[in-house]
Amino acid sequence: MANTAAQSQQKQNRSRAGSDNNKKPARTSRKKAPSSRPNKSTLSTRGDRLKKRSDTKAPAKEPEEKEVPAKKKRTASDPLDRSGFVETEKVKKLVSRMKPYLQAGYPLHLTGPTGVGKTAMALHLAAQFDRPVTLLHGNHEMNNVDLLGGISGFTSDKLIDNFVRQVYKKQVEVKEKWHPGRLVEAVQKGYTVIYDEFSRSSPETNNLFLSVLEEGVLPLYGTKQKQSFMRVHKDFRIIFTSNPEEYAGVFDTQDALMDRLITIEMDQDRETERSILREKTGVLAKEADLILRNVAKVRKACENEGKHGPSLRASLMIATVCQKSDIPISKDNEQFIRVCMDVLSPHVIKCADVNSAKEAEEWLQEEIS
Ligand SMILES: Nc1ncnc2c1ncn2[C@@H]1O[C@H](COP(=O)(O)OP(=O)(O)OP(=O)(O)O)[C@@H](O)[C@H]1O
């Protein structure tokens, strides 16, 4: 009891002190609660004032997540690292011919035989715009779900009301969860899309691109979203690649889509191939010439049959293997001839008048040594 009386007395004293403080604030209370206003004596100039203000500005919100330009994220093993891209005069001219179309927002279509450098060029062009790059690879199984996304499961909200013991109420709300496809993200955020070998996909799938390219909207067919379409971001760009030889037997490229593309035909001359081979593998000029000559002989045989022969890829393979295994690149070296045969035989079987791998090797032995 005595204790309670003492406590009540203390309480009264505190409340009196508090009312005194209201009239005339005590120094101590000021110290305890420093004003958020800066001290005048330290703000003699406007510059100082501005400085102080910005210094005292609290980090109001989480820093916004900024998109790192594609260029800065690249590493040597990244396909978007273009440091290995060889720009000869011819390649430079081609780049400056094609870039303005993309800059103006038009879709570009690179066409040409296999291995001519369409994908390499598309990646190089895409890297010019410092936007993230989305790679799509055409195939007959690709459908709208791959591009637009689909329902990838459910989310459920469960509410259990068990406040009164005898009453138990459970409410479950189940919602379908939509996982946006890669085209949706690219269209929404303004990425550069490379749609490699687009003619391998069915015309029904490629129909999606008609309204993207013409009306600047992506229809969200079958996604069960409230909005039926999405506006295309102003930075969105797209580069298609295709191999005309593949049109036969695959799907006919729809005229409507082709009509919306700016199509550039690509080929590769000996000089460009030579520069790429030398820069990418480090072989000497005479070594590059020997490899290119051997490949050219098989190409010629293929052309005579109306077929496309070995591409620059074959030359790169031969040069890389020889460089990595210290195989002398010389027509008198057995190991080198062996590598050429292994790389080129399948093409000889396809093009020359031979019936077996053995005959192909004999053909090559005669032609390249
Ligand atoms: N300018 C270049 N600089 C460096 N490498 C290149 C260049 N052009 C082509 N290449 C190389 O040549 C090879 C074939 O090029 P790429 O894959 O781009 O051909 P493609 O035309 O897309 O072939 P496909 O139709 O078979 O897909 C690749 O190894 C590529 O890196």
Side-chain angles (χ1 to χ4, degrees), residues 82 84-88 91 112-122 137 196-197 200 241-243 246 266 268 272 276 280 311-313 316:
R82 304 316 298 149
F85 186 77
V86 180
E87 274 195 285
T88 58
V91 172
T114 186
V116 82
K118 303 179 293 291
T119 311
M121 177 60 85
H137 206 86
D196 219 5
E197 314 285 8
R200 288 185 189 173
T241 81
S242 75
N243 184 336
E246 287 190 355
M266 284 185 69
Q268 231 160 34
T272 305
I276 295 171
K280 282 194 100 166
S311 69
L312 173 62
R313 266 195 205 108
L316 285 167

Side-chain angles (χ1 to χ4, degrees), residues 95-327:
V95 171
S96 47
R97 175 178 158 202
M98 297 195 276
K99 205 174 156 186
Y101 299 122
L102 289 169
Q103 251 158 351
Y106 283 105
L108 198 63
H109 171 209
L110 309 183
T111 186
T114 186
V116 82
K118 303 179 293 291
T119 311
M121 177 60 85
L123 286 164
H124 179 72
L125 283 166
Q128 312 281 307
F129 294 98
D130 275 358
R131 299 290 304 147
V133 176
T134 300
L135 274 173
L136 300 174
H137 206 86
N139 69 80
H140 68 283
E141 282 180 349
M142 187 191 264
N143 57 30
N144 284 1
V145 175
D146 297 315
L147 296 171
L148 299 179
I151 306 302
S152 66
F154 299 91
T155 53
S156 66
D157 287 331
K158 206 185 276 181
L159 178 76
I160 298 173
D161 184 351
N162 198 14
F163 190 65
V164 182
R165 223 155 167 256
Q166 290 81 358
V167 183
Y168 180 82
K169 189 175 140 205
K170 187 176 167 191
Q171 194 181 325
V172 183
E173 196 188 345
V174 179
K175 282 187 208 150
E176 285 175 326
K177 197 171 158 202
W178 177 53
H179 187 80
R182 286 152 78 202
L183 183 61
V184 171
E185 196 184 11
V187 158
Q188 196 177 32
K189 299 183 180 169
Y191 294 174
T192 302
V193 170
I194 296 176
Y195 189 1
D196 219 5
E197 314 285 8
F198 82 99
S199 54
R200 288 185 189 173
S201 302
S202 74
E204 293 75 38
T205 303
N206 286 340
N207 264 344
L208 264 186
F209 291 89
L210 298 180
S211 37
V212 170
L213 303 181
E214 189 71 35
E215 285 92 31
V217 292
L218 175 66
L220 297 173
Y221 303 132
T223 58
K224 301 188 187 172
Q225 294 305 290
K226 274 189 200 141
Q227 51 177 148
S228 58
F229 65 87
M230 180 176 278
R231 289 235 165 264
V232 176
H233 192 284
K234 66 174 179 37
D235 291 333
F236 175 80
R237 290 183 184 89
I238 184 159
I239 305 169
F240 294 83
T241 81
S242 75
N243 184 336
E245 281 176 18
E246 287 190 355
Y247 292 170
V250 193
F251 303 103
D252 280 341
T253 310
Q254 313 96 292
D255 287 345
L257 182 53
M258 287 293 265
D259 196 43
R260 287 160 169 80
L261 312 179
I262 292 175
T263 298
I264 308 274
E265 209 162 307
M266 284 185 69
D267 59 4
Q268 231 160 34
D269 60 300
R270 184 78 165 255
E271 216 27 68
T272 305
E273 287 197 359
R274 193 170 182 257
S275 305
I276 295 171
L277 196 56
R278 290 203 60 197
E279 283 203 39
K280 282 194 100 166
T281 65
V283 293
L284 302 173
K286 67 173 183 145
E287 294 173 332
D289 286 338
L290 175 60
I291 294 170
L292 290 172
R293 230 178 12 249
N294 288 348
V295 171
K297 280 184 185 156
V298 183
R299 252 186 218 171
K300 186 100 188 89
C302 288
E303 274 165 27
N304 292 342
E305 293 293 313
K307 292 173 182 163
H308 186 72
S311 69
L312 173 62
R313 266 195 205 108
S315 310
L316 285 167
M317 273 183 208
I318 297 170
T320 308
V321 170
C322 292
Q323 287 293 79
K324 294 215 164 162
S325 299
D326 290 329
I327 298 172

